[in-house]
C-alpha cells in the first residue's frame, strides 16, 4: 500500500516553517509563492521562501525552494528521481545522501547553491537554496530534508 497524505497536510508551513526557512537562509523571509495541483496523474506542491532584503555582499535575495510530488505508484517517483539524477550527473558529481528515504542526492551548482532530492516510496522531495551567502546553511538544509522525509 502506498502512503497517501491527506489534503489538509499540503500547506507550506506544514513542511517548512517560517523560522526554519529563516534559519537556513540566514535572515528574515516571507512565503513568496506556492502551488498545489494534481497534474499528469500525480499531486504536486511547491513553494518558495525568499529573504526580505538583499544580501549586502552579493546584492541578491536568498531563496529556499521546496517541491513535493506524490505519485499513484512507487514506479512514478522512481522514474522522476532517476531522470533528475541522470540530468545532474551530466554536469556534476552526484553524491548520495545516506539514511534518508529510499534514495537521495545532493549536488551544488557552479555558484555553490545546494539541491537535494529524495525519493521515499511513491513521493519525491526537492529542496534548493538559491543565492547562497555566508549566512546560509547547507548542513541545516540537509537536517531539514531528513526531518521532512521522516515526517511525511
Amino acid at each position: 500500500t502506498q502512503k497517501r497524505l491527506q489534503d489538509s497536510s499540503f500547506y507550506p508551513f506544514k513542511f517548512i516553517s517560517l523560522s526554519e526557512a529563516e534559519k537556513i537562509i540566514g535572515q528574515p523571509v516571507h512565503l513568496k509563492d506556492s502551488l498545489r495541483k494534481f497534474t499528469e496523474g500525480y499531486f504536486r506542491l511547491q513553494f518558495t521562501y525568499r529573504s526580505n532584503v538583499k544580501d549586502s555582499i552579493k546584492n541578491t535575495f536568498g531563496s529556499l525552494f521546496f517541491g513535493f510530488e506524490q505519485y499513484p505508484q512507487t514506479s512514478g517517483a522512481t522514474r522522476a528521481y532517476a531522470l533528475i539524477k541522470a540530468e545532474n550527473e551530466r554536469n556534476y558529481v552526484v553524491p548520495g545522501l545516506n539514511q534518508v528515504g529510499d534514495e537521495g542526492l545532493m549536488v551544488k551548482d557552479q555558484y555553490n547553491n545546494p539541491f537535494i532530492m529524495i525519493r521515499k516510496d511513491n513521493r519525491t522531495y526537492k529542496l534548493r537554496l538559491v543565492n547562497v551567502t555566508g549566512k546560509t546553511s547547507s548542513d541545516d538544509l540537509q537536517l531539514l530534508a531528513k526531518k521532512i522525509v521522516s515526517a511525511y
Side-chain angles (χ1 to χ4, degrees), residues 73-148:
Q73 302 294 323
T74 299
S75 60
T78 300
R79 188 170 34 259
Y81 177 87
L83 286 170
I84 290 176
K85 181 179 180 187
E87 185 177 311
N88 278 284
E89 286 175 331
R90 282 189 241 143
N91 299 310
Y92 307 104
V93 173
V94 181
L97 286 177
N98 297 325
Q99 302 172 339
V100 57
D102 297 319
E103 50 190 338
L105 62 88
M106 179 173 160
V107 295
K108 292 186 178 183
D109 65 15
Q110 67 270 28
Y111 304 107
N112 207 31
N113 295 313
F115 169 73
I116 294 173
M117 184 170 184
I118 298 166
R119 183 192 64 79
K120 182 179 178 185
D121 300 325
N122 64 325
R123 300 174 306 282
T124 63
Y125 307 82
K126 301 173 198 165
L127 294 96
R128 182 165 187 239
L129 269 174
V130 179
N131 297 324
V132 170
T133 68
K135 297 176 185 176
T136 55
S137 174
S138 295
D139 291 340
D140 286 336
L141 183 67
Q142 288 183 54
L143 291 173
L144 178 62
K146 288 179 181 182
K147 183 197 105 176
I148 292 168

